[in-house]
Each structure stands twice: as C-alpha cells, then as structure tokens.
C-alpha cells in the first residue's frame, strides 16, 4: 500500500487535545509516536524518549507500532515518580483493547486520559493543604 | 273468456334452443375461437429488423454493468470520505507521526540512559 497519513485532521486534533488536557490535569508532558519501532521495540521506544532532550525526564512517551502490534509506554525519571508502571500497564490495557478493534486514535485518546488520571502530583508541603 | 296460452313448455323449449344456437354461433364466428378456427398462419404481426449486436451488447451488458458500478460507487463512498482507518489485519502503510516530538534537531543520544519506567503491551 502507498504511504499516507495515519490520521485524519479531526483525529489529529483529538490526540493533540488529549495531550494538552492530560498535561493540564497531571502536570506531566506527554508525547505520542505512531510508527515503526525499528529492531527491538523497547530499546527503540527508549531511544525515541531520549531524543526528547533535556525535557525527557518529565515526559511520558506513548509509542505505538501498528505494524508490529506493539505498544510501549516510556516514562522519564521524573515522570515515573507520579506515574508508576502499574498505572502505565492499566492505560496500556485500555489502549490495546481499542487498538484490537481498529480504533487507533480513540485508543490513544483514552490511554492518555487514563495515564493523566493516574498520574498524581507529587505532594507539595504547605501548598496541597488548605 | 279464455286467456291465450302464450307459451307452452314445448314452445318455450324451442325458443330457448333457437336463442342459444344464435348466440353460440355468433360467438364462435366472431369471437376469438372463431378467429382461431379461421387462422391461416398470418397474424398480421410485422417483425422489426433484428437488434444490431453493438446495441444489444449495450442494453444487455452495458446497463447491468452501469448499475453494478453505481451500486459499488455508493457502497464505497463512505469509506472514501471517512477518516483513514487502521485495520488490525492489514499491514501498516502510513508515515510515522510524532505528537509532542522533539522540536528542532535534537541530537540522538548515542547511549540512551533510561532511568524511567513504563510498560510494554501487544495486541
């Protein structure tokens, strides 16, 4: 098949809005990659995460390889403190269940929402107390 | 005074027989049965010239094909108009997309030193 766009304009907007809302809700940065993860998917996804530069520690990367049917969620060193692996697995489950039905953008949007719901702000003394 | 006997049973029977034979005879002579009996093999039908082959092909081949094409078009319009859709059974065809990706030319870390976490899943 010839190469084309993975998402329609509307789907792109939905994903970008979900990224924005997730950031506002949880305070973490989110990044979504949809494409081929060359070689072993996990190191490939971690390499992508590393390419985000100095901000990478704050970033939660959702990497989807539709060809290999693989999903990788990579959390940075700082993001990991508010978003544990268990929450990532829960979000991954929400995403893959929709991916298997063919709804790629819907799965990503729901996954981001789940990640944001589970990412809690680190407690800040004197600020979180009323 | 004697009332004249207008119709005795015998006369009435004869009258019925005459009427029946006249009606039946007329019907046989003039009706379709009469025509059938008088058929000489020529029913007056004038046959047109046979349909040219091209025109016949157009009518019996072209019109059904046009209808099939129209139905196919109507059936495939929604998928043409709607968003590109990922189908789990088919291979992936699209270019990579990265939302919130690196801005500018971020150097690729030669050795990704990953201290974070995350998860892997497949479907």
């Amino acid at each position: 098949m010839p190469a084309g766009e993975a998402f329609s304009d509307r789907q792109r907007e939905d994903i970008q809005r979900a990224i924005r809302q997730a950031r506002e809700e949880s305070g973490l940065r989110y990044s979504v990659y949809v494409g081929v993860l060359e070689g072993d998917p996990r190191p490939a996804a971690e390499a992508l995460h590393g390419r985000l530069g100095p901000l990478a520690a704050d970033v939660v990367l959702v990497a989807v390889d539709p060809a290999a049917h693989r999903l990788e969620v990579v959390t940075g060193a700082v993001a990991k403190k508010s978003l544990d692996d268990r929450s990532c697995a829960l979000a991954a489950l929400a995403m893959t269940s929709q991916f298997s039905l063919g709804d790629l953008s819907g799965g990503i949007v729901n996954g981001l929402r789940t990640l944001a719901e589970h990412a809690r702000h680190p407690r800040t003394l004197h600020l979180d107390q009323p | 005074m004697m009332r004249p006997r207008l119709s005795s049973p015998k006369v009435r029977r004869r009258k019925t027989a005459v009427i029946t034979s006249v009606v039946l005879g007329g019907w046989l002579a003039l009706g379709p049965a009469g025509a059938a009996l008088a058929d000489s093999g020529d029913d007056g039908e004038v046959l047109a010239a046979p349909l040219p082959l091209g025109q016949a092909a157009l009518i019996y081949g072209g019109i059904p094909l046009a209808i099939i094409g129209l139905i196919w078009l109507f059936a495939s319009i929604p998928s043409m108009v709607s968003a590109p859709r990922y189908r789990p059974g088919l291979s992936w065809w699209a270019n990579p997309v990265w939302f919130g990706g690196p801005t500018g030319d971020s150097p690729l870390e030669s050795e990704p030193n990953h201290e974070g976490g995350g998860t892997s899943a497949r479907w």
Side-chain angles (χ1 to χ4, degrees):
Chain A
M1 272 192 209
E5 294 298 320
F7 301 109
S8 67
D9 290 344
R10 183 169 183 156
Q11 288 172 331
R12 281 172 174 274
E13 283 169 22
D14 286 346
I15 293 171
Q16 279 161 349
R17 193 184 310 120
I19 288 174
R20 208 167 45 242
Q21 284 173 348
R23 186 181 176 181
E24 286 165 7
E25 195 176 325
S26 64
L28 297 176
R29 291 169 184 275
Y30 294 85
S31 180
V32 176
Y33 173 84
V34 181
V36 178
L37 294 169
E38 301 282 349
D40 197 1
R42 187 70 199 172
E46 286 175 358
L48 287 176
H49 189 266
R51 275 174 65 178
L52 293 166
L55 293 171
D58 277 335
V59 176
V60 179
L61 173 70
V62 176
V64 185
D65 186 346
H69 292 207
R70 284 293 296 251
L71 166 71
E72 299 291 338
V73 180
V74 185
T75 50
V78 177
K80 191 188 175 185
K81 289 175 185 166
S82 16
L83 191 65
D84 60 3
D85 293 355
R86 198 182 165 88
S87 303
C88 291
L90 200 66
L93 190 68
M95 283 190 260
T96 51
S97 62
Q98 262 181 292
F99 293 164
S100 61
L101 296 175
D103 188 3
L104 212 54
S105 63
I108 291 169
V109 168
N110 273 344
L112 288 169
R113 207 170 288 157
T114 312
L115 286 170
E117 279 169 7
H118 284 85
R120 54 177 177 76
H121 290 284
R123 223 176 216 313
T124 312
L125 277 178
H126 312 299
L127 287 177
D128 283 353
Q129 301 290 330
Chain B
M1 202 176 116
M2 264 186 72
R3 266 179 32 196
R5 292 182 65 185
L6 289 174
S7 52
S8 67
K10 205 174 173 183
V11 172
R12 212 184 300 158
R13 228 177 291 137
R14 200 178 296 156
K15 217 191 271 180
T16 313
V18 167
I19 291 169
T20 310
S21 64
V22 165
V23 169
L24 203 65
W27 182 72
L28 280 176
L30 303 171
L37 288 172
D39 192 9
S40 62
D42 180 16
D43 58 359
E45 187 187 1
V46 181
L47 293 172
L51 202 62
L53 194 67
Q55 213 172 330
L58 205 68
I59 290 171
Y60 296 108
I63 292 176
L65 281 177
I67 291 171
I68 290 168
L70 212 63
I71 291 170
W72 173 82
L73 192 71
F74 282 138
S76 52
I77 277 175
S79 59
M80 287 179 192
V81 172
S82 66
R85 187 172 146 81
Y86 162 68
R87 295 183 192 280
L90 299 178
S91 58
W92 182 244
W93 69 96
N95 296 320
V97 198
W98 199 342
F99 300 94
T103 48
D105 292 327
S106 298
L108 175 61
E109 285 186 14
S110 52
E111 286 180 21
N113 182 21
H114 189 69
E115 294 170 351
T119 189
S120 302
R122 28 186 344 134
W123 71 92

